[in-house]
Structures are given as structure tokens and as C-alpha cells.
């Protein structure tokens, strides 16, 4: 589900929900929703729904080791603790009283609450135990989402795009644009330390190396020849190429040096963003297959793809593409990616979810 606030809402005014049945398939469906107040959209949402399906392709990251929620203070108890401190600055006291006055329908227990009396920089990570307040029960009534589009603001604007073939939508996109603004609130992850692209083999050179191996199975030889025959407009240099002769599970992480083939130049930044969108989709979802190399995957396709552009870049210059898959299951896989400039600046963040279908063996029933 992708949510995009388009403006502030008024809890005293009824909300009109406009829903569009973007796609209805056999196992996957998409609905787009727009919430409207005073004749203007305040919120847009795109939701994907899937029939429950079993799949042997399953993995996930390991949950952090933290104290159980029963041993921790709630957010309200922490606020009370801070407010009892006589050294608490008045601006913090006002802010905490404002938070305390809000009627939030969520129970929150911070695992590592920041020290609000300390102004030292802290790692940009937080852990919370969370749950809805009260009993929800088993929802049996389907929800109808009515959707549309967008917003034009002073510094942020939102546009929704739908591509149609044969009278049906085949692609929808929601793009947010921001006027460039400076801010002291800045941080980023650290770029992985890897060999430079000049020291690595290209994907074509690696394929040639594999094809020269007399022990290469015929099915791998056919697959590599098929990849080699594709006219891909991207230069790719894998940092940690998987051993295709090994069917052992591998960590769902990949690193590539990537760039567009040919010269693009100092053109409109939107051109470089479009090229980066193409680059980011190539071999991205395949990261989720690395722990499951014993299976044959006859069908794999993207369901949704999100990108966030952080800093200017050149798509025809080498960038490091860091890919990882924190989860797979239910015939789906989730991957996350980061495109780094060579100078260590994080230029783009990406996320994608896709369908992964495993070939049924003879002893697997289709019933």
C-alpha cells in the first residue's frame, strides 16, 4: 500500500472517498483511493490485494533482539517521566504537553527512547513496540476504496499517472515533486566499501568466463546465452557475482556498479531520473531469489516500484547499486535498493515488490 498525504485534513468535515478499480486480476488486484475535503484531495492511496498463496520461496531478515513490551514504559509514561524533570526546557515541556493531549489510537512503547535533554547527534534508527488500542476483531466486510488524484502546493506537488492499453490500465504512477530547499536536518547511510568499477569484470565478461567452463550445465548455458543476446543499454559490473554452478542458498544481497551506455551529458535532471528508473529495475527482484536457488522460477514480475531521489547525479556515470531483500513469502518478494554516487553521496532509494512463482514438480498437486 502506498500512501501520499496531499494536505491537512479537518476532523470536523466529512470526507468523500473516490475509488478507482485500477486492476482486477485472478490473484492480484489494485485499487486507487482519493480522500476529498472542501473539494480538494487531502490524501491519495494505492492499495494492492492478493489472494493468499503458499510458496517455498520464503525468507526474512532477523528481528532485532529487544526487551519484551511488558518490560518497557509506554510513551505516556515516558512523557510523564520527562515532565517531572525540573531541568526540562520550556520548549520541550510545551511540545510534550501537546503530544500528551493528542488522542492517539495506538499503544506505543519505545525500545530506545532518545534523551530529549541531549542535543548530541544520534544514529537515525528507532525501535518501537506498537499495537492498536482496543479490540478490533475479525474484519469480514470488504473495503471499497474510491480514488483519483492530486495536489499543487507552494513547495510540494503530487501528480498521478495512468497508462492504458485496450481500454484497461496497465500502469499507474504517483509522483511527488519538491522545490529545492536547504535544511540542517541531513544524514545518510554510509556507502559500502567495494572495489572501484575499473577493477571489476563487466557482466558480459563474466558470462564469457562462465560459458568457457566445460562443467556448465546445459540449462545454465542456455540462460546465459539468452542474457548475452539481450541488447541492454546498461553497463553492469557485479561486485559479488553469485557462483552459478552452486545451488546453495546465498544472502539476499547484491552490489553492482551501473551506468547508462553512451553519453547523456548535462541535460535536464528528469532525463537522468528516467534512466535511473530503468537501471533500478534491472535484476532488482532477482535479489530475492538468492536464498532459493534450488527452485526454478518460470514467472517473476514487478507489482510496484517506488523511488526517492535525494541528490543530483549523472546516470551515465558509474553508480553503486546496493540491493537487498528483507522478506519473501506468499508468492511475493520485497527488495530495497540504494544508488550511490562514486563520491559516497546517496542519490536514489528504491523499493519493489513482485510476484515470484515456483515451477511445480510432478509430486506437487495443483489442487
Amino acid at each position: 500500500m502506498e500512501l501520499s498525504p496531499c494536505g491537512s485534513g479537518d476532523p470536523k468535515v466529512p470526507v468523500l472517498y473516490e475509488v478507482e478499480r485500477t486492476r482486477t486480476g485472478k490473484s492480484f488486484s489494485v485499487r486507487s483511493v482519493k480522500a476529498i475535503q472542501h473539494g480538494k484531495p487531502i490524501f491519495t492511496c494505492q492499495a494492492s490485494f492478493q489472494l493468499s498463496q503458499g510458496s517455498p520461496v520464503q525468507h526474512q531478515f532477523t528481528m532485532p533482539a529487544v526487551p519484551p513490551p511488558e518490560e518497557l514504559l509506554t510513551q505516556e509514561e515516558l512523557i510523564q517521566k520527562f515532565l517531572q524533570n525540573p531541568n526540562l526546557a520550556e520548549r520541550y515541556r510545551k511540545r510534550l504537553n501537546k503530544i500528551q493531549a493528542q488522542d492517539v489510537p495506538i499503544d506505543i512503547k519505545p525500545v530506545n527512547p532518545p534523551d530529549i535533554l541531549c542535543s548530541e547527534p544520534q544514529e537515525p534508527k528507532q525501535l518501537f513496540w506498537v499495537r492498536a488500542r482496543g479490540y478490533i476483531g475479525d474484519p469480514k466486510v470488504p473495503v471499497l476504496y474510491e480514488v483519483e488524484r492530486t495536489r499543487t502546493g507552494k513547495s510540494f506537488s503530487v501528480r498521478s499517472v495512468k497508462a492504458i492499453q485496450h481500454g484497461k490500465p496497465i500502469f499507474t504512477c504517483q509522483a511527488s515533486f519538491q522545490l529545492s530547499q536547504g535544511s540542517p536536518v541531513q544524514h545518510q547511510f554510509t556507502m559500502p566499501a567495494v572495489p572501484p568499477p575499473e577493477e571489476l569484470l563487466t557482466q558480459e565478461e563474466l558470462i564469457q568466463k562462465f560459458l568457457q567452463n566445460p562443467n556448465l550445465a546445459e540449462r545454465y548455458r542456455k540462460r546465459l546465452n539468452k542474457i548475452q543476446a539481450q541488447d541492454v543499454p546498461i553497463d553492469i559490473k557485479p561486485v559479488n557475482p553469485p557462483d552459478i554452478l552452486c545451488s546453495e542458498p546465498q544472502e539476499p544481497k547484491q552490489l553492482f556498479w551501473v551506468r547508462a551506455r553512451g553519453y547523456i551529458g548535462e541535460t535536464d535532471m528528469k532525463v537522468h531520473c528516467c534512466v535511473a528508473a530503468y537501471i533500478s529495475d534491472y535484476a532488482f527482484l532477482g535479489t530475492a531469489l538468492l536464498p532459493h536457488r534450488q527452485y526454478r522460477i518460470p514467472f517473476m514480475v514487478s507489482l510496484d516500484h517506488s523511488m526517492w531521489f535525494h541528490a543530483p547525479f549523472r546516470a551515465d556515470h558509474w553508480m553503486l547499486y546496493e540491493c537487498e531483500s528483507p522478506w519473501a513469502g506468499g508468492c511475493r518478494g520485497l527488495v530495497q535498493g540504494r544508488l550511490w554516487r562514486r563520491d559516497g553521496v546517496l542519490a536514489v532509494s528504491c523499493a519493489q515488490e513482485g510476484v515470484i512463482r515456483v515451477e511445480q514438480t510432478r509430486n506437487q498437486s495443483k489442487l
Side-chain angles (χ1 to χ4, degrees):
M1 181 180 291
E2 184 176 329
L3 311 176
S4 297
C6 299
S8 57
D10 186 346
K12 299 176 183 177
V13 177
V15 181
L16 172 65
Y17 292 97
E18 295 185 355
V19 184
E20 181 182 343
R21 298 174 180 267
T22 309
R23 178 181 185 273
T24 300
K26 292 181 179 179
S27 56
F28 288 90
S29 294
V30 180
R31 297 292 182 263
S32 299
V33 183
K34 182 167 64 176
I36 297 174
Q37 280 187 335
H38 305 294
K40 295 181 180 179
I42 59 169
F43 168 90
T44 61
C45 162
Q46 189 168 90
S48 299
F49 303 91
Q50 178 201 10
L51 286 174
S52 181
Q53 296 172 294
S55 172
V57 178
Q58 296 186 29
H59 70 259
Q60 65 173 36
F61 281 1
T62 303
M63 177 178 170
V66 299
E70 294 77 16
E71 296 179 8
L72 299 171
L73 297 178
T74 65
Q75 181 167 279
E76 290 81 358
E77 291 168 337
L78 281 167
I79 288 174
Q80 281 298 329
K81 183 179 176 182
F82 287 135
L83 289 173
Q84 290 168 10
N85 189 328
N87 299 319
L88 185 66
E90 188 59 29
R91 63 192 180 103
Y92 290 127
R93 193 175 297 278
K94 286 182 179 178
R95 191 186 306 170
L96 291 175
N97 280 320
K98 186 177 180 181
I99 295 171
Q100 194 176 36
Q102 294 173 346
D103 185 17
V104 180
I106 311 168
D107 284 325
I108 304 171
K109 290 196 174 186
V111 175
N112 55 342
D115 183 356
I116 63 171
L117 298 179
C118 175
S119 60
E120 293 298 314
Q122 298 180 41
E123 190 180 14
K125 291 185 179 181
Q126 295 190 80
L127 292 163
F128 304 90
W129 284 106
V130 292
R131 69 177 179 187
R133 283 189 172 150
Y135 176 73
I136 296 177
D138 183 14
K140 297 179 180 179
V141 180
V143 180
L144 174 66
Y145 293 94
E146 297 180 356
V147 189
E148 235 230 342
R149 45 180 104 187
T150 50
R151 175 182 185 267
T152 300
K154 293 180 180 179
S155 56
F156 287 90
S157 294
V158 181
R159 296 292 181 266
S160 298
V161 181
K162 181 169 62 175
I164 297 175
Q165 279 186 333
H166 308 296
K168 295 181 180 180
I170 59 167
F171 170 86
T172 60
C173 165
Q174 190 168 92
S176 299
F177 303 91
Q178 177 199 10
L179 287 174
S180 180
Q181 296 172 295
S183 171
V185 180
Q186 297 185 26
H187 70 262
Q188 65 170 40
F189 282 0
T190 303
M191 178 177 171
V194 300
E198 292 77 16
E199 297 179 9
L200 299 171
L201 297 177
T202 65
Q203 180 166 278
E204 290 82 356
E205 291 167 335
L206 281 167
I207 288 175
Q208 280 298 327
K209 184 179 175 182
F210 287 135
L211 288 173
Q212 290 167 11
N213 188 328
N215 299 318
L216 184 67
E218 188 59 28
R219 64 191 181 103
Y220 290 127
R221 194 174 297 278
K222 286 181 179 178
R223 191 186 306 171
L224 290 176
N225 281 319
K226 186 177 180 181
I227 294 171
Q228 195 175 36
Q230 292 173 349
D231 185 17
V232 180
I234 312 169
D235 285 325
I236 303 169
K237 291 195 173 186
V239 176
N240 52 346
D243 183 356
I244 64 168
L245 297 178
C246 174
S247 61
E248 292 298 312
Q250 298 184 36
E251 190 179 16
K253 293 186 179 183
Q254 296 192 84
L255 291 162
F256 306 91
W257 284 106
V258 293
R259 69 178 177 186
R261 282 186 174 154
Y263 177 76
I264 298 177
E266 298 286 350
T267 183
D268 191 327
M269 187 61 207
K270 290 192 285 291
V271 175
H272 289 281
C273 289
C274 290
V275 175
Y278 181 92
I279 290 173
S280 69
D281 189 51
Y282 188 81
F284 195 20
L285 194 55
T287 309
L289 300 181
L290 291 176
H292 315 285
R293 303 184 69 199
Q294 70 273 33
Y295 298 110
R296 186 176 180 277
I297 310 297
F299 183 79
M300 185 171 68
V301 67
S302 169
L303 285 172
D304 50 62
H305 189 99
S306 299
M307 300 184 72
W308 296 264
F309 298 94
H310 310 305
F313 61 92
R314 286 275 298 269
D316 54 353
H317 288 179
W318 284 115
M319 292 189 290
L320 182 67
Y321 195 17
E322 181 185 9
C323 308
E324 60 184 7
S325 172
W327 176 89
C331 292
R332 290 177 291 128
L334 176 68
V335 285
Q336 298 167 342
R338 289 177 281 276
L339 276 167
W340 300 89
R341 294 190 332 207
R342 285 194 71 163
D343 59 0
V345 172
L346 180 59
V348 184
S349 295
C350 318
Q352 185 179 95
E353 187 181 41
V355 181
I356 300 174
R357 300 214 188 276
V358 176
E359 185 178 65
Q360 289 187 328
T361 59
R362 291 179 181 178
N363 60 353
Q364 282 181 303
S365 171
K366 294 184 178 181
L367 297 179

